[in-house]
Structures are given as C-alpha cells and as structure tokens.
C-alpha cells in the first residue's frame, strides 16, 4: 500500500514537467514532492523517476503509473478543495475562472450582474493570471486561453476570433491624418514574446515594422495606458482598443492575423450545473464583447 498523495505528486510531476512546478501545483515544498515520490518508488518497487543533473523525468514505468493515477489525483484534488471550502465556512464551492487581467477586469467582472440575474446562488472566483494554469491540476475550473487545449481530459469551446488593429491618442497624432501615416516612421508599441511567437509579432516582422517597436510588453493594460498617454501607436485587440474613447484607429497594412480564444473546462466537471451555467455566461459575454468591436 502507498499514500495516495504520493501518487498525486507523481501525476503532478508528469503534468508540470519539473519538481518546482509540481510542488507549486500541489502547494507543498519541492523537498516534500521529492520525498513522496521516493516513498512511492519504495512502496511499488518501481523506478519511477530518472534523476539527472538537468532535472528529473518520468521513466516509462513512471509515465504508466502516472497515467493510471490521473483519476485518483483528480478526486483527491476535488476532496481537498471541498475540505478547504468547508473549513472557510463556505456552503457552496465557488466556480474559479482563470483569464488575463484585462479579460477579468474589463469583460467578465462588469458582466457579473447578468450571471447572477439568472443564477444568484453561484459564487465565482475570478483569477487574473498572465500564465497558463492547469485545469487538470485543478488550478481553475474554467479558463479563457489563446491556444487550443491539449489532452483528452480537456474540452474546448471555440470563441469568436479576435481582430487586432493600430491605435493612437490624438495627442500623439498631433493633428495628422491617421490614413496618411507611414507606420515604419512611427514609434510603435506592441507585445513581447512572453506568450511565445504570437501571430502579430511574426506579421510585424513580415511587414518590416518590428524595427519600429519602441515598447514591448506582455501587458495589454500597459499598452493601453502608454497609448493613451501619447507614447506611440500600439497594436491592440480591437475588443479593447475600439472601446477606449481616447484612442483613434490608425489604418495599417492589410492581413493582420487574428487570435483564436478558447474556453476550456475539464471533462470531469463539465456537466455540473454550476459549471454549465457559468460556461454559458462566459461564452455569451465574450462573444458579445468580441463581436461588438468588429
């Protein structure tokens, strides 16, 4: 026999890829994860982890055991979450929604009255997170992501595509006609590669505009505030740029790529009434916001 927590740590290591990431997901110290996996190896008589100078990896036996342990690890996570809610006095476990800061603050938060008009009994927890979270590890119940979900345990709902454009403040334009501006001669503000090679960055390179980028950031909020202050011309999702009264759209080259957002939920909880209700609300809210900017 072995401690089920040890198996849950092995599953977390397989999903996260590193001991530190697995420990963060499990809410324990790295030494605790390492010790538990060693205990699991002793209990099973198997070599589960290949320990190398550059990190650890699951062996073939470890991968097999981790795959079999996913349902149990998920159940442990659900029980732990329920126990946490009971300790805090909650009678209903809130639905946790993960998205970027601007989606949380400017789209979902203002739309909460629409959710509660039909489902006042459902509490929610809005988690503003720039990085990806693990729904398999129960870091959240629902997540709005800009990449297609991977893995059989996740269900993805495609949301309307998000178009981007160029925006500037009148103070930066200084009376110039936006249609007559040569973007190669302007100060451009855009995203960095924190989220990988996003389509806009590759497109800017193809258009010969990457050399004009004076600001690169992962924060949409920073791009908006810098643009409003007259710092330059920013590439922004139209769902945010078009709703700012202090910004003017600047025509750019045709063919700027779109982004494909997804609403992700774990298969095990997708049919829960509270999850289904919040899922419908997010789809309606995101769709309304995205299409209103087109």
């Amino acid at each position: 026999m072995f401690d089920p927590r040890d198996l849950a740590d092995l599953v977390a290591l397989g999903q996260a890829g590193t001991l530190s990431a697995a420990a963060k997901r499990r809410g324990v110290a790295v030494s605790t994860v390492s010790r538990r996996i060693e205990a699991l190896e002793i209990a099973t008589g198997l070599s589960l982890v290949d320990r190398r100078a550059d990190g650890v990896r699951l062996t073939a036996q470890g991968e097999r055991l981790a795959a079999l342990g996913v349902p149990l690890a998920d159940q442990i996570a659900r029980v732990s979450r329920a126990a946490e809610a009971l300790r805090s006095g909650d009678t209903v476990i809130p639905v946790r929604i993960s998205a970027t800061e601007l989606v949380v603050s400017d789209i979902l938060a203002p739309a909460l009255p629409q959710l509660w008009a039909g489902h006042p009994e459902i509490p929610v927890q809005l988690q503003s997170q720039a990085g990806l979270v693990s729904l398999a590890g129960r870091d959240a119940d629902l997540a709005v992501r800009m990449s297609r979900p991977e893995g059989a345990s996740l269900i993805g709902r495609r949301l309307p595509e998000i178009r981007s454009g160029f925006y500037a403040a009148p103070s930066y334009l200084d009376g110039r006609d936006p249609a007559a501006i040569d973007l190669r001669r302007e100060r451009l503000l855009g995203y960095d590669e924190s989220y990988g090679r996003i389509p806009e960055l590759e497109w800017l390179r193809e258009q010969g505009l990457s050399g004009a980028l004076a600001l690169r950031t992962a924060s949409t909020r920073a791009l908006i505030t810098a643009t409003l202050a007259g710092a330059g011309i920013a590439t922004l999702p139209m769902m945010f740029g078009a709703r700012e009264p202090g910004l003017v759209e600047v025509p750019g080259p045709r063919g700027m790529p779109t982004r494909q957002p997804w609403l992700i939920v774990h298969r095990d909880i997708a049919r829960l009434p509270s999850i289904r209700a919040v899922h419908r609300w997010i789809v309606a809210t995101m769709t309304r916001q995205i299409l209103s900017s087109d």
Side-chain angles (χ1 to χ4, degrees):
M1 295 296 294
F2 56 84
D3 190 330
R5 295 176 302 173
D6 301 346
L7 181 59
D9 284 356
L10 182 71
V11 171
L13 177 59
Q15 294 172 338
T18 66
L19 280 172
S20 59
K24 182 178 180 181
R25 178 175 297 183
R26 297 282 289 142
V28 297
V30 172
S31 59
T32 299
V33 173
S34 181
R35 173 176 52 79
R36 287 178 178 173
I37 291 178
E38 289 178 3
L40 185 61
E41 289 182 311
I42 294 173
T44 60
L46 300 173
S47 176
L48 304 175
V49 175
D50 184 8
R51 296 167 176 83
R52 304 181 180 183
D54 60 346
V56 299
R57 298 177 183 175
L58 296 187
T59 63
Q61 293 177 330
E63 291 178 352
R64 176 62 175 161
L65 203 63
L68 293 172
V70 168
L72 177 59
D74 286 347
Q75 186 64 32
I76 292 173
R78 286 195 291 270
V79 171
S80 298
R81 184 181 167 202
E84 181 182 355
L86 291 171
R87 284 195 303 271
S88 64
D90 294 336
T91 57
V92 181
I93 301 175
V95 176
R96 297 170 301 169
I97 306 164
S98 173
T100 61
E101 190 273 336
L102 215 61
V103 170
V104 165
S105 63
D106 288 26
I107 297 179
L108 297 181
L112 283 171
Q114 284 76 50
L115 171 65
W116 288 329
H119 301 278
E121 77 285 358
I122 300 178
V124 299
Q125 180 179 340
L126 295 177
Q127 301 176 176
S128 175
Q129 294 161 312
L132 297 182
V133 299
S134 170
L135 272 71
R138 294 299 187 263
D139 294 337
D141 300 311
L142 293 155
V144 178
R145 293 178 175 172
M146 293 299 167
S147 59
R148 188 169 188 167
E150 298 180 358
S153 65
L154 301 179
I155 300 174
R157 165 69 181 264
R158 190 193 301 263
L159 298 171
E161 291 185 338
I162 297 175
R163 296 193 299 124
S164 296
F166 292 94
Y167 293 88
S171 60
Y172 177 84
L173 296 175
D174 194 26
R176 293 181 295 165
D177 180 5
I181 285 179
D182 182 354
L183 292 174
R184 291 171 297 182
R185 301 176 180 275
E186 301 298 326
R187 186 186 302 118
L188 301 185
L189 320 174
Y191 290 100
D192 61 21
E193 295 186 345
S194 297
Y195 302 112
R197 298 177 69 86
I198 61 175
E200 294 98 312
L201 289 176
E202 188 63 31
W203 182 82
L204 287 172
R205 292 189 186 97
E206 294 173 356
Q207 299 297 321
L209 296 173
S210 58
L213 282 171
L215 169 67
R216 302 171 189 251
T217 178
S219 170
T220 302
R221 177 69 70 189
L223 284 177
I224 291 175
T225 55
T227 308
L228 287 170
I233 300 175
T235 58
L236 289 170
M238 288 185 173
M239 62 187 295
F240 297 124
R243 69 199 301 264
E244 287 290 341
L247 296 182
V248 176
E249 186 173 0
V250 177
R254 295 180 180 273
M256 180 179 285
T258 60
R259 289 200 201 184
Q260 179 61 69
W262 295 81
L263 177 57
I264 317 299
V265 62
H266 197 282
R267 189 176 299 277
D268 288 350
I269 63 172
R271 294 186 178 276
L272 294 178
S274 60
I275 297 296
R276 294 176 66 181
V278 175
H279 188 282
R280 289 193 299 269
W281 167 70
I282 295 177
V283 169
T285 300
M286 292 293 296
T287 300
R288 182 172 60 252
Q289 183 65 43
I290 294 171
L291 295 183
S292 67
S293 64
D294 290 345

